[in-house]
């Protein structure tokens, strides 16, 4: 059974979802969404860690994650979690490391069910171009997250 709780953030209202003992999703919630769920311990911890991240006092999340996807998507998401706070990677570089193509990596980034915590915002196009972002307001949200981490885009 999936349960949900919400957190207000500088990039909008986020819905945190968990199934059992693992976080399964982070998504941008509409203003009218309400829940009566009692947050589980993993949701409470995810909320605490996100609040610390947005306060710039947390640089690495430590949560049990269970994003649903293909094996390839999971390999991309794992690689994204290895990109340090305040740093970026490229779709092409990740594709080369995975023996794939940049477009496939971009598609996996776009299907990331746990954005911010699995930092797809840290993945850029060649030459430092922004690429895309499927969360919040799209590229403005990606820019805010990168700026929060001190990344300066050219």
């Amino acid at each position: 059974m999936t349960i949900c709780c919400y957190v207000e953030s500088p990039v909008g209202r986020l819905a945190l979802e968990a199934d059992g003992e693992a976080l399964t999703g982070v998504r941008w919630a509409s203003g009218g969404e309400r829940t009566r769920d009692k947050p589980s311990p993993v949701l409470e911890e995810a909320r605490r860690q996100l609040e610390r991240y947005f306060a710039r006092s947390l640089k690495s999340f430590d949560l049990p994650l269970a994003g649903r996807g293909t094996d390839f998507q999971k390999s991309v998401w794992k690689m994204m979690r290895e990109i340090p706070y305040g740093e970026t990677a490229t779709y092409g570089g990740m594709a080369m490391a995975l023996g794939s193509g940049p477009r496939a990596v971009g598609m996996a980034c776009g299907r990331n069910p746990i954005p911010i915590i699995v930092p797809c915002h840290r993945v850029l196009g060649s030459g430092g171009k922004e690429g895309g972002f499927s969360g919040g307001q799209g590229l403005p949200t990606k820019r805010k997250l990168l700026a929060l981490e001190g990344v300066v885009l050219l």
Side-chain angles (χ1 to χ4, degrees):
M1 180 174 114
T2 299
I3 58 173
C4 181
C5 76
Y6 300 93
V7 62
E8 300 299 328
S9 83
V11 293
R13 186 169 188 245
L14 302 173
L16 311 180
E17 299 171 336
D19 191 358
E21 300 297 315
L23 189 68
T24 58
V26 173
R27 62 180 173 78
W28 277 261
S30 66
E33 280 188 50
R34 298 286 178 255
T35 184
R36 294 182 184 182
D37 295 337
K38 182 176 185 279
S40 67
V42 72
L43 287 175
E44 289 291 350
E45 183 59 24
R47 184 186 343 210
R48 274 191 294 277
Q49 288 188 30
L50 278 164
E51 288 169 351
R52 290 182 55 220
Y53 168 80
F54 288 117
R56 295 186 170 120
S57 64
L58 180 83
K59 297 191 183 334
S60 179
F61 292 96
D62 183 22
L63 295 163
L65 305 178
R68 293 176 184 91
T70 66
D71 288 343
F72 176 75
Q73 289 168 339
K74 289 177 183 179
S75 69
V76 171
W77 303 337
K78 180 181 182 301
M79 187 174 278
M80 285 191 295
R81 291 200 69 204
E82 295 169 1
I83 305 168
Y85 178 97
E87 295 184 27
T88 60
T90 64
Y91 298 107
M94 290 176 67
M96 190 176 300
L98 292 167
S100 181
R103 187 164 282 143
V105 169
M107 295 286 289
C109 288
R111 297 211 191 298
N112 173 16
I114 311 174
I116 303 171
I117 293 167
V118 176
C120 48
H121 61 279
R122 295 180 189 156
V123 184
L124 304 176
S126 63
K129 294 179 184 159
E130 294 170 325
F133 192 69
S134 60
Q137 297 177 347
L139 288 177
T141 299
K142 183 173 189 166
R143 287 184 208 114
K144 281 184 181 181
L145 291 167
L146 290 170
L148 176 88
E149 295 184 15
V151 174
V152 178
L153 296 173
L154 301 176

